Structure formats: structure tokens, C-alpha cells
Amino acid sequence: MKVSKKDIKQRMARFEEVSRKSGAKLTHQRLEIFREVAQTVEHPDVEKVFEGVRRRMPTISMDTVYRTLWWLKSLGLITVLGPSRERVRFDANLSNHHHFVCTRCGLTRDFFSDELDSLTLPDSVLSIGLAKKTQVEVKGICLKCAADGKPGARKNERR
Amino acid sequence: MKVSKKDIKQRMARFEEVSRKSGAKLTHQRLEIFREVAQTVEHPDVEKVFEGVRRRMPTISMDTVYRTLWWLKSLGLITVLGPSRERVRFDANLSNHHHFVCTRCGLTRDFFSDELDSLTLPDSVLSIGLAKKTQVEVKGICLKCAADGKPGARKNERR
DNA sequence: TTAGGTGCAAATTCTTTGCACCCTG
DNA sequence: CAGGGTGCAAAGAATTTGCACCTAA
């Protein structure tokens, strides 16, 4: 499965627009790094992006890839899978439950719902693999952060 | 919000049972490390577990905490939040979608479902925070891994 | 021209490992 | 008492940072 030519074009166009609006420079490196993520459904990690870009641009450096990916994220041009930049966390609650994650402070709380425990997945999942466990992840702002006020650099906040 | 005395007791009992059955030794360290995770709803990271245990057991070392947590996971006594031990992955698909993650090889694929896009969350979420985005995460075995055969040490497989 | 961006190398931070000693069973 | 488990220190990975040079606007 690949991203269609049309979608790639659309994503590249949005990239140019957003990135110009932000006042940043449109460098070759940034263009190629974004293209690398935009043209695949594989959800590459930093290393994969680096390898892919290096094929076209042999002098690219790892730190530029890191910097650029977080910059793309800060512009909302890409998202990050999983607890981005968070440490691994452990959970001794083995019963069915779902997670609320505060995107500001990283707080993670369980919540429960019989309804969410028994979701029906679309047939398209069958062509990917055999589902074992389904969990809902809610991202939002916890009450404490909401009370504390506006966004901004804060302990644990992810770029 | 805390874990009830009753639940903690239950978890500790299960810990003893499973861990004995596995043939491993029940050391003070293991007991205290498991207790640290079992007694909280905070989903602590390695550092937090270490700090907590160190209060009661000042000579505990970080590497024992690491080793023990992965050991607890391998026994199924605790679970790990997010893509455990995986690198951060990036995604240029900004439209609503959900994820299927293969627990064996780490493959991650998007899938789509209008129904899942508009889930109703239980009221209990209101007491945690303001939900911004809800995403379903399905864990399972991808077709390729299922065809390849049995579980076992394999590239990217998580302990 | 010039401020922001890049590459390099070094620094940090996080996690794992080798090994001698210790303690559970 | 034997063998697995622990702590220490050192190694390894992954990621970030300081700085001089480069380049898009």
C-alpha cells in the first residue's frame, strides 16, 4: 500500500504553504525530510527517514533529521505515534481499560467503559492482521493543566 | 485517586503466585519493584519506580529496576504503555485514522472508520480532563508475521 | 547581505551488560 | 550449598547541543 501521487502532491503543497507562513527557510534538507515522511504509510522512525533522505542527499546529518522532524511536528505538518519523547511507563492494571493522556504534562489516567471494550472493527483491519486487543486512547488536556492556564514550555510538555 | 487496599492485595497475591510458578526467586527487590507499580494509578516510568523503591530500599540499583520491570512484563504481571521500546515514529497523514500495531514486528498501519471517528466517551472522562482527540489502537499480529509462524525472538519483537 | 540552517563532533541522557559477590530455595 | 539475582562500573545507544561555515531570501 502506498500513498497516492495526488496525496503526496497535496501534502507537499501544504508543507510549502505552512512552512513559508511560519517564516522559516525552505531548505533542500527540510523539503526532502518532509517528502520522506509524506510519501509513505510506513510511519518511519528517525533512522528510516535518515536512510531514505541520504539516498538522495548523501551529506544529510542525523541531527538535522531530528531537528527537522520536531520542527515539522511543531508546525502540525506531521504527528508522532505513541508517547512521543516520553519514557516507557508501566501499568499493573490488567483489566480492560482505556487511557486518557494529557498532551501538556503527560499525565495518563485509566478510564473504563464496557461499550469501548467491545468495539466493532471495520473489515479493512482483516487485511492488515489478526486483532488481539483494542484500546482507546484519548488525548486532551487534564483538569490541572487546564486550570494552570495557557500552553507553553512546561515540565514534560512535548514539542 | 488511588488503588484500593483490596486491589493491591490481590495484585501482590497474583505476583507471588505467577512468579513462583515461573521458577524464579522471590527477592526483596522484585517484591518492592512490583509493589511500586501495583500501588499506583500513575503509570510510573523507570525513574519513578526507582525513586519510590529507593525510599524503602536505599541500595536498589537502576539496572535491577530495568531488569525486573521487563521480567514482570514477560510474566504478564504488568503491561507497558505505548509502543514499548520502539523508537518514535512519524506520520504525515493528518486525517482521522486509527492504528493497527503488530506486537511481533512493530508494523504499524492506518485504518479508517467513520464509526470509530465518533465514539462516545463515558462521563468519567470529564473528571480527568478535556478530550481533544480519540484514537483507537489495535494490537495484534500482522498477516506476514502470522504466516511466518510462531512467536520467538525476531527483529523488533518486544520482550 | 544576513539571519537562520546545517554538518560535525562532542556532550548528554537513557539503557544494557560483564562480572564478582550475595541470598533464596 | 547451588544457581539465579544483585550492585557496581563500564559500555552502548539514542538524542541533543555548541559552534563555525553555508545558503535562502
Side-chain angles (χ1 to χ4, degrees):
Chain A
M1 192 169 57
K2 302 201 304 188
V3 179
S4 70
K5 285 250 164 70
K6 181 171 149 267
D7 282 350
I8 297 177
K9 215 164 231 171
Q10 205 169 65
R11 290 174 181 183
M12 295 308 298
R14 187 169 141 77
F15 163 75
E16 275 212 37
E17 187 199 325
V18 173
S19 129
R20 274 195 205 291
K21 267 194 197 155
S22 82
K25 289 181 183 170
L26 240 68
T27 63
H28 291 306
Q29 287 87 340
R30 288 178 169 176
L31 193 71
E32 292 308 320
I33 289 169
F34 180 74
R35 191 200 308 285
E36 195 62 29
V37 181
Q39 84 194 157
T40 178
V41 297
E42 308 270 343
H43 308 304
D45 59 20
V46 180
E47 183 83 32
K48 273 276 187 311
V49 175
F50 176 67
E51 284 168 12
V53 172
R54 190 165 52 168
R55 251 176 257 136
R56 281 166 274 143
M57 188 179 265
T59 62
I60 189 80
S61 70
M62 202 61 166
D63 58 287
T64 297
V65 175
Y66 275 104
R67 280 186 291 223
T68 302
L69 287 170
W70 295 124
W71 170 74
L72 288 168
K73 169 153 202 262
S74 75
L75 293 182
L77 286 165
I78 60 175
T79 58
V80 165
L81 271 64
S84 72
R85 308 186 118 198
E86 288 245 330
R87 307 251 198 84
V88 179
R89 286 155 162 261
F90 298 88
D91 190 350
N93 180 1
L94 301 177
S95 55
N96 273 333
H97 64 278
H98 305 276
H99 291 300
F100 179 101
V101 180
C102 176
T103 53
R104 196 167 295 165
C105 71
L107 171 131
T108 303
R109 281 278 179 280
D110 296 344
F111 66 90
F112 305 88
S113 159
D114 291 339
E115 204 174 320
L116 297 183
D117 288 346
S118 53
L119 292 177
T120 305
L121 299 176
D123 291 343
S124 58
V125 170
L126 295 174
S127 64
I128 307 176
L130 178 64
K132 296 276 191 191
K133 198 181 166 194
T134 297
Q135 211 171 26
V136 174
E137 175 156 318
V138 175
K139 297 219 164 121
I141 307 290
C142 73
L143 293 183
K144 186 164 184 309
C145 283
D148 277 4
K150 329 296 164 292
R154 174 180 279 105
K155 183 164 178 291
N156 289 329
E157 182 155 16
R158 301 296 150 221
R159 302 188 193 170
Chain B
M1 193 171 56
K2 301 200 304 184
V3 178
S4 70
K5 285 251 165 70
K6 181 172 149 265
D7 281 351
I8 296 177
K9 216 165 231 173
Q10 205 169 65
R11 289 174 180 182
M12 295 307 296
R14 187 170 142 76
F15 163 73
E16 275 212 37
E17 187 199 323
V18 173
S19 130
R20 275 194 203 290
K21 268 194 195 155
S22 82
K25 288 179 184 171
L26 240 68
T27 62
H28 290 309
Q29 287 87 341
R30 288 177 171 176
L31 193 72
E32 291 308 321
I33 290 168
F34 179 74
R35 191 198 309 286
E36 195 62 28
V37 181
Q39 84 194 157
T40 178
V41 298
E42 307 269 344
H43 307 304
D45 60 21
V46 180
E47 184 83 32
K48 274 274 186 315
V49 174
F50 176 67
E51 283 167 12
V53 173
R54 192 166 49 169
R55 250 175 258 136
R56 281 167 274 144
M57 187 180 266
T59 62
I60 189 79
S61 70
M62 201 59 165
D63 56 288
T64 296
V65 175
Y66 275 106
R67 279 187 292 223
T68 302
L69 287 170
W70 296 124
W71 171 75
L72 289 168
K73 167 150 202 268
S74 74
L75 292 184
L77 286 165
I78 60 176
T79 58
V80 164
L81 270 64
S84 70
R85 312 185 115 194
E86 289 247 328
R87 306 250 198 84
V88 180
R89 285 154 163 263
F90 299 89
D91 190 350
N93 180 1
L94 301 176
S95 55
N96 272 334
H97 65 277
H98 305 275
H99 292 300
F100 179 100
V101 180
C102 176
T103 53
R104 197 167 296 165
C105 72
L107 171 132
T108 304
R109 281 280 177 280
D110 297 345
F111 66 90
F112 305 88
S113 160
D114 291 340
E115 203 174 318
L116 298 183
D117 288 347
S118 54
L119 293 177
T120 306
L121 298 176
D123 290 344
S124 58
V125 170
L126 295 173
S127 65
I128 307 176
L130 179 64
K132 295 277 191 189
K133 198 183 165 192
T134 297
Q135 210 171 26
V136 175
E137 176 156 317
V138 176
K139 296 216 166 123
I141 307 289
C142 73
L143 292 184
K144 189 165 181 311
C145 282
D148 278 3
K150 332 293 165 292
R154 173 179 280 105
K155 183 165 177 294
N156 288 328
E157 182 157 12
R158 301 295 150 222
R159 302 188 196 171

